[in-house]
Amino acid sequence: EIAASLERLGRRLNAPFSITVHGGDRPLADLAKPIAAGVIHALRRRGIAAPDGSRVVSVDDGVLTLADGRTEPADFVVNASGLAPAPVIAGLGLPLAGDGSLHVDPWLRSTGDPAIFAAGDCIAFDGAPLPRVGVYAVRQAPVILHNMLASLEGTPLMRFEPQKHFLTIMNLGDDTGLALRAGLHWRGRLAWRLKDAIDRRFLASHRPDPTPATVPTDRPELSRSQS
Ligand SMILES: Cc1cc2nc3c(=O)[nH]c(=O)nc-3n(C[C@H](O)[C@H](O)[C@H](O)COP(=O)(O)OP(=O)(O)OC[C@H]3O[C@@H](n4cnc5c(N)ncnc54)[C@H](O)[C@@H]3O)c2cc1C
């Protein structure tokens, strides 16, 4: 997504960049093989190099070293190799999941201290880890607020029930997108327009209201959603 958008930016500035994506043995590993191959083919057709099996082992002073020992100079390096919890989590002295995230129960409480609540990318439940996507962070927000207030008031807590499927749309930087949901996929302009509309609507919902401020008295509604 970043490579595709940078390529678009270079064309728009009339200064095409030379872009290489190093994706290890299996770039876009979260996608089914034919879908990943289609995206990589589309990137290559736009002049983006995506060598097979090239894995970066270090970056020093603008020089990438690859696993096979080759080196490659770069003016600008973007590391998009995945998210890791912030180091502050490890220093809390609370139970962690294998990837260093805070281990929580379905009520978004630390399994080591029920007075500590957490949500978003920095947590892990028992079982399969949830993908680190905004849709979970956004939907956990009203649950964590409810539960923190409820724990102070001594009222029932609410379980966070993660949805099984969610819509992902990858911006391919050429006014098209790749939409994925529940094993189905769609690539084209419509996917990009949908992503743009969802993102704009979501951001607009967080812009300050120009009408005079009022103090909210109700708990937030759980119906608010992203995608
Ligand atoms: C390039 C990119 C594109 C993405 N696109 C999408 C998308 O299209 N759709 C989607 O659903 N999700 C997307 N995501 C994922 C989504 O952004 C995250 O899942 C979501 O932001 C997680 O929310 P969060 O509040 O848990 O963490 P964050 O939004 O990362 O917020 C954590 C905050 O904690 C702060 N922080 C860290 N350490 C400390 C500290 N020690 N003290 C104080 N503050 C600290 C950080 O600065 C940050 O502001 C994308 C992520 C990336 C990186």
Side-chain angles (χ1 to χ4, degrees):
E1 190 169 50
I2 294 171
S5 298
L6 283 175
E7 191 273 338
R8 167 67 169 264
L9 181 67
R11 268 190 296 128
R12 199 200 291 170
L13 297 175
N14 216 9
F17 307 132
S18 164
I19 300 171
T20 303
V21 178
H22 293 289
D25 300 336
R26 172 105 204 264
L28 299 173
D30 288 348
L31 303 183
K33 274 188 183 166
I35 304 174
V39 172
I40 289 166
H41 180 68
L43 294 181
R44 285 184 175 142
R45 278 185 33 205
R46 284 160 58 190
I48 298 173
D52 291 327
S54 58
R55 189 177 172 78
V56 178
V57 289
S58 67
V59 184
D60 301 290
D61 288 335
V63 178
L64 304 176
T65 303
L66 306 181
D68 62 9
R70 282 180 298 135
T71 56
E72 205 170 87
D75 295 319
F76 188 74
V77 179
V78 179
N79 180 352
S81 55
L83 297 172
V88 69
I89 302 287
L92 296 176
L94 293 166
L96 303 180
D99 64 353
S101 48
L102 196 69
H103 189 237
V104 295
D105 65 18
W107 297 272
L108 304 177
R109 299 176 301 188
S110 161
T111 50
D113 185 342
I116 306 224
F117 290 81
D121 282 356
C122 68
I123 61 166
F125 299 95
D126 274 339
L130 290 180
R132 292 199 162 102
V133 292
V135 66
Y136 289 122
V138 165
R139 292 190 178 193
Q140 284 162 6
V143 177
I144 195 173
L145 177 58
H146 171 95
N147 287 352
M148 289 171 80
L149 293 172
S151 75
L152 291 172
E153 292 164 355
T155 53
L157 271 56
M158 185 183 282
R159 277 177 79 95
F160 173 70
E161 303 284 358
Q163 62 199 80
K164 282 207 180 75
H165 302 295
F166 55 88
L167 177 68
T168 305
I169 306 178
M170 188 173 170
N171 174 8
L172 296 176
D174 58 355
D175 295 330
T176 71
L178 170 69
L180 302 143
R181 190 183 160 100
L184 302 171
H185 75 281
W186 172 259
R187 212 172 102 196
R189 278 177 191 272
L190 191 61
W192 156 244
R193 285 205 189 127
L194 181 61
K195 178 178 175 69
D196 195 48
I198 291 170
D199 289 351
R200 282 177 194 279
R201 193 184 58 192
F202 183 69
L203 286 177
S205 74
H206 291 282
R207 292 220 168 87
D209 188 345
T211 55
T214 52
V215 179
T217 51
D218 291 338
R219 303 260 179 96
E221 292 300 325
L222 279 177
S223 58
R224 207 190 77 207
S225 68
Q226 196 185 20
S227 52

